[in-house]
Amino acid sequence: MNLHIKGGRLIDPANGVDAVQDLYIAGGRVVSIGTAPGGFVPNRVIDATGLAVLPGLVDLSARLREPGFEYRATLESEMNAALAGGVTSLVLPPDTDPVLDEPGLVEMLKHRARQLNQAHVYPLGAITVGLKGQILTEMAELTEAGCVAFSQADVAITDTNVLMRAMQYARTFDYALWLRPQDPWLAADGVAASGAMATRLGLNGIPEQAETLALQTIFELQRATGARVHLCRLSSAAGLKLVRAARAEGLPVTCDVGAHHVHLTDIDIGYFDSNCHLMPPLRGQRDRDAIRAGLADGTIDAICSDHTPVDDDYKLLPFAEAEAGATGLELLLSLALKWSRDCRQPLSLAIARVTSEPAKLLGTRAIASCGQLGLGSHADLCLVDLEEEWMVSADTLLSQGKHTPFLGMELPGKVITTIVGGLIAYQAVR
């Protein structure tokens, strides 16, 4: 399909573009910007007057619950949610059931995703067999099957010798390890951040040292091996301070933060609101402010949704018994825009944190042109009304998971149309 997207405000941070320009798409790629190429005949003209034309969002952590947890959500339901949020590329953690530790499982998942012909799916392979932290997987074979990097999801490798060997293996083949820094012993049985709020509510706390100790171990092993590490969902000011020092030292480290942690603190738990039971836990205002500053100065590379749909049976329980997690795919763009508005940061910077910057972290093994709209790039994009606000509710969310700390809130930025590979994949009802 040849598409002519007319009169929209094209915002493409990767290419430094923020201007009202027409976009021309043919063969699933961007073929011209501004003026039509010779002989171009559109099959459809989309009037984007008053709308922003953005690259499709790249989400670095989205659990689609398939395979293994289809009773909570399905690939189809969560892909629909992704498209409604303007997300066209998804990174899947390996903690499915069965775990993504064999090439056949990865190939099956990618085949299933291709059949749906919706958002692009980029699996993370497990670092260890069964995520048990003992035997390394065959990373080379998993890469050939389609894995873009390797992770333990939320399961720590307690044996540092195994983590050392994983880094050596990864360094040899220039793979990246995606690690969530949390010491399992300090975090054991914890459900909230240590501090006055957890004490007042009688909840078991997770101290910030659970993050900082894990970070120091990772950095020491990086110094010994030279492995590339991406740190997933940092949560503390102290942790960010260590990351800044590691980067200044020249260690090959990047990091992201969950969208919830950009706006919320442990105070938002209120009277045991289990929608605020997240992992890592919501921390104090000082930590949230440090996260906001880290996004502004580039210490944090990207914002992810940390999409983890949880059903009523596991969420509508006392706080300490409820399962950690929240839906986030449809909120990712709006929460990035809210950060820009609340913290008076450039709009293009907020959009970069959910498009071009996370795309860089996928590496050359993924589609190199996702997260941008330059000439020849894949035509993955969304049309957004930046001025429209929408109410977050169970009725407005397409995800099968309806639990989020932002229920009942109005958020900025309404996705009107999402295009994947030059085809219209989502159209909002207006």
Side-chain angles (χ1 to χ4, degrees), residues 212-375:
T212 56
L213 274 177
L215 284 171
Q216 291 178 29
T217 299
I218 290 168
F219 295 151
E220 278 298 313
L221 295 180
Q222 272 194 287
R223 293 183 184 103
T225 63
R228 289 189 295 121
V229 171
H230 176 70
L231 301 167
C232 304
R233 304 190 301 287
L234 291 180
S235 67
S236 71
L240 285 171
K241 184 177 179 180
L242 290 175
V243 171
R244 284 193 181 92
R247 284 189 159 180
E249 183 184 333
L251 293 181
V253 59
T254 55
C255 64
D256 66 50
V257 65
H260 307 94
H261 291 75
V262 178
H263 299 285
L264 305 176
T265 69
D266 55 356
I267 296 298
D268 291 294
I269 293 173
Y271 293 100
F272 303 98
D273 182 1
S274 61
N275 287 322
C276 292
H277 186 183
L278 306 171
M279 202 56 63
L282 296 171
R283 297 196 177 276
Q285 183 174 330
R286 184 177 71 92
D287 300 290
R288 186 201 59 186
D289 291 348
I291 286 171
R292 290 178 164 185
L295 283 169
D297 66 24
T299 301
I300 300 172
D301 297 270
I303 306 173
C304 71
S305 73
D306 194 19
H307 179 72
T308 308
V310 182
D311 59 18
D312 290 352
D313 290 344
Y314 290 85
K315 203 63 172 174
L316 299 181
L317 294 170
F319 189 93
E321 298 174 23
E323 183 175 325
T327 189
L329 279 170
E330 295 158 85
L331 282 68
L332 178 58
L333 176 60
S334 293
L335 293 177
L337 295 175
K338 180 175 169 59
W339 167 72
S340 170
R341 184 184 66 184
D342 293 353
C343 298
R344 299 182 180 181
Q345 293 297 322
L347 175 62
S348 60
L349 181 59
I351 294 170
R353 293 286 180 256
V354 292
T355 58
S356 55
E357 294 304 311
K360 292 176 184 177
L361 303 176
L362 298 183
T364 56
R365 295 183 179 87
I367 299 175
S369 58
C370 71
Q372 61 146 317
L373 291 174
L375 288 177

Side-chain angles (χ1 to χ4, degrees), residues 158-179:
T158 56
D159 187 334
T160 49
N161 187 47
V162 173
L163 182 56
M164 176 94 160
R165 288 191 286 110
M167 287 193 179
Q168 290 170 335
Y169 187 160
R171 176 67 181 89
T172 299
F173 296 97
D174 195 30
Y175 301 149
L177 299 185
W178 290 32
L179 304 174

